[in-house]
Amino acid sequence: MASKKSKPVEPAKEPETVNETLEEQTEATPDAVTMTQEELTTVKKHIDELQKKLDETVALLQRNQADFDNFRKRNASVRLDSYEEGKRDCIKALLPVLDDFDRVAESDPNAEGWADGVKLVHKKLADILQKEGLTEIPSDGAFDPELHNAVMTEAVDGMESGNIVQTFQKGYKVKEKIIRHSMVKVSE
């Protein structure tokens, strides 16, 4: 009796990775999807609605950008006009003082009352500026670097260090904003 040779049985191949299995499945599925005419119409209608909303949103954003640009330009123009109007108002308020200085310049400095006239013009100018909010920064007592600019120091007998000895130039502020610091000499 002759013996039959049997073939060895090969074990079933196991996928090496999960990705290989997914790739094989993906290759097996088609790229195209079949839809009915009704489904295709519904999808196209939905896409058209989304496109319309997108177009409306883009148009709205463009209008908003244009409105903002117009606002910015208009605001800059109004600011400049306000600034120029403020300068004109200030000059108009100072014109009477200029007129008085013209009269003083034309008069004889040796005439009686000339010095009193100059003092009156000075007072008129100070009153106008005070009315506009100008106040003098006090420069007596202790030195304050927020208000004063120390340009010199001097040792003074009997005076505490850090006190103002002399004022070279008055300082001024309008409301709470300093427009010029007082120029002073401070004791050492």
Side-chain angles (χ1 to χ4, degrees), residues 10-24:
E10 290 183 23
K13 282 190 177 178
E14 299 250 347
E16 291 180 16
T17 64
V18 173
N19 286 339
E20 277 185 13
T21 307
L22 291 176
E23 287 173 7
E24 290 171 3

Side-chain angles (χ1 to χ4, degrees), residues 39-95:
E39 291 172 331
L40 180 61
T41 305
T42 304
V43 169
K44 282 183 177 181
K45 184 177 178 183
H46 184 66
I47 290 172
D48 290 342
E49 288 173 3
L50 291 175
Q51 185 62 46
K52 182 179 176 186
K53 285 182 181 179
L54 176 65
D55 293 343
E56 289 172 357
T57 303
V58 168
L60 177 65
L61 290 173
Q62 288 171 340
R63 281 192 306 276
N64 284 344
Q65 183 66 43
D67 287 346
F68 180 73
D69 288 342
N70 291 338
F71 167 78
R72 193 171 33 89
K73 290 174 188 173
R74 190 172 45 251
N75 199 27
S77 174
V78 166
R79 183 177 176 271
L80 181 62
D81 290 346
S82 297
Y83 176 74
E84 292 298 323
E85 184 66 26
K87 284 187 353 184
R88 286 189 292 274
D89 288 346
C90 183
I91 291 169
K92 185 177 179 182
L94 293 173
L95 285 178

Side-chain angles (χ1 to χ4, degrees), residues 111-125:
E112 189 176 321
W114 186 84
D116 292 335
V118 172
K119 288 178 185 176
L120 285 173
V121 173
H122 177 270
K123 182 178 178 349
K124 189 176 199 176
L125 176 61

Side-chain angles (χ1 to χ4, degrees), residues 23-182:
E23 287 173 7
E24 290 171 3
Q25 289 174 359
T26 304
E27 290 173 5
T29 57
D31 287 338
V33 176
T34 307
M35 284 196 249
T36 65
Q37 186 64 34
E38 186 179 310
E39 291 172 331
L40 180 61
T41 305
T42 304
V43 169
K44 282 183 177 181
K45 184 177 178 183
H46 184 66
I47 290 172
D48 290 342
E49 288 173 3
L50 291 175
Q51 185 62 46
K52 182 179 176 186
K53 285 182 181 179
L54 176 65
D55 293 343
E56 289 172 357
T57 303
V58 168
L60 177 65
L61 290 173
Q62 288 171 340
R63 281 192 306 276
N64 284 344
Q65 183 66 43
D67 287 346
F68 180 73
D69 288 342
N70 291 338
F71 167 78
R72 193 171 33 89
K73 290 174 188 173
R74 190 172 45 251
N75 199 27
S77 174
V78 166
R79 183 177 176 271
L80 181 62
D81 290 346
S82 297
Y83 176 74
E84 292 298 323
E85 184 66 26
K87 284 187 353 184
R88 286 189 292 274
D89 288 346
C90 183
I91 291 169
K92 185 177 179 182
L94 293 173
L95 285 178
V97 175
L98 183 61
D99 294 338
D100 289 346
F101 274 121
D102 288 341
R103 283 189 279 280
V104 167
E106 292 172 1
S107 66
D108 181 12
N110 296 322
E112 189 176 321
W114 186 84
D116 292 335
V118 172
K119 288 178 185 176
L120 285 173
V121 173
H122 177 270
K123 182 178 178 349
K124 189 176 199 176
L125 176 61
D127 289 346
I128 290 171
L129 293 174
Q130 187 177 23
K131 184 178 170 185
E132 295 298 321
L134 183 74
T135 55
E136 185 178 325
I137 296 173
S139 58
D140 53 350
F143 172 76
D144 182 354
E146 296 291 321
L147 303 172
H148 309 111
N149 181 15
V151 292
M152 292 179 71
T153 59
E154 181 181 320
V156 178
D157 291 336
M159 186 174 272
E160 195 175 304
S161 177
N163 282 334
I164 296 172
V165 175
Q166 184 180 359
T167 301
F168 298 116
Q169 189 177 55
K170 294 178 181 179
Y172 295 96
K173 60 184 176 177
V174 175
K175 298 187 179 174
E176 295 305 313
K177 181 80 173 164
I178 295 175
I179 58 172
R180 184 173 79 187
H181 291 78
S182 299

